[in-house]
Coordinates of all heavy atoms in Angstrom, one line a residue:
M287 N 27.3 23.4 2.2 CA 26.9 22.4 1.3 C 26.6 21.1 2.0 O 25.6 20.4 1.7 CB 28.0 22.2 0.2 CG 27.7 21.1 -0.8 SD 26.4 21.6 -1.9 CE 26.5 20.3 -3.0
K288 N 27.4 20.7 3.0 CA 27.2 19.4 3.7 C 25.9 19.5 4.5 O 25.2 18.5 4.6 CB 28.4 19.1 4.7 CG 29.6 18.7 4.0 CD 30.7 18.3 4.9 CE 31.9 17.9 4.2 NZ 33.0 17.4 5.1
K289 N 25.6 20.7 5.1 CA 24.3 20.8 5.8 C 23.1 20.7 4.9 O 22.1 20.0 5.3 CB 24.3 22.2 6.5 CG 25.2 22.3 7.7 CD 25.0 23.6 8.4 CE 26.0 23.8 9.5 NZ 25.9 25.0 10.2
T290 N 23.2 21.2 3.7 CA 22.1 21.0 2.7 C 21.9 19.6 2.3 O 20.8 19.1 2.3 CB 22.4 21.9 1.5 OG1 22.6 23.2 1.9 CG2 21.2 21.8 0.5
V291 N 23.0 18.9 2.1 CA 22.9 17.5 1.7 C 22.3 16.7 2.9 O 21.5 15.8 2.7 CB 24.3 16.9 1.3 CG1 24.3 15.4 1.1 CG2 24.8 17.6 0.0
R292 N 22.8 17.0 4.1 CA 22.3 16.3 5.3 C 20.8 16.5 5.4 O 20.0 15.6 5.7 CB 23.1 16.7 6.5 CG 22.9 15.7 7.7 CD 23.8 16.1 8.8 NE 25.2 15.9 8.5 CZ 26.2 16.6 9.0 NH1 25.9 17.4 10.0 NH2 27.4 16.3 8.7
L293 N 20.4 17.8 5.3 CA 19.0 18.1 5.4 C 18.1 17.4 4.3 O 17.1 16.9 4.6 CB 18.8 19.6 5.3 CG 17.3 20.1 5.4 CD1 16.7 19.8 6.7 CD2 17.3 21.6 5.2
V294 N 18.6 17.4 3.1 CA 17.9 16.8 2.0 C 17.8 15.3 2.3 O 16.7 14.7 2.1 CB 18.5 17.1 0.7 CG1 17.9 16.2 -0.4 CG2 18.4 18.5 0.3
S295 N 18.9 14.7 2.7 CA 18.9 13.2 3.0 C 17.9 12.9 4.1 O 17.1 11.9 4.1 CB 20.3 12.8 3.5 OG 21.2 13.0 2.4
T296 N 17.9 13.8 5.2 CA 16.9 13.6 6.3 C 15.5 13.7 5.8 O 14.6 12.9 6.1 CB 17.2 14.6 7.4 OG1 18.5 14.4 7.8 CG2 16.2 14.4 8.5
L297 N 15.2 14.6 4.9 CA 13.8 14.8 4.4 C 13.4 13.6 3.5 O 12.3 13.2 3.6 CB 13.7 16.1 3.6 CG 13.8 17.4 4.4 CD1 13.8 18.6 3.5 CD2 12.6 17.5 5.4

Side-chain angles (χ1 to χ4, degrees):
M287 179 70 173
K288 288 184 180 182
K289 288 182 181 180
T290 303
V291 170
R292 195 174 297 153
L293 177 63
V294 169
S295 297
T296 303
L297 289 173

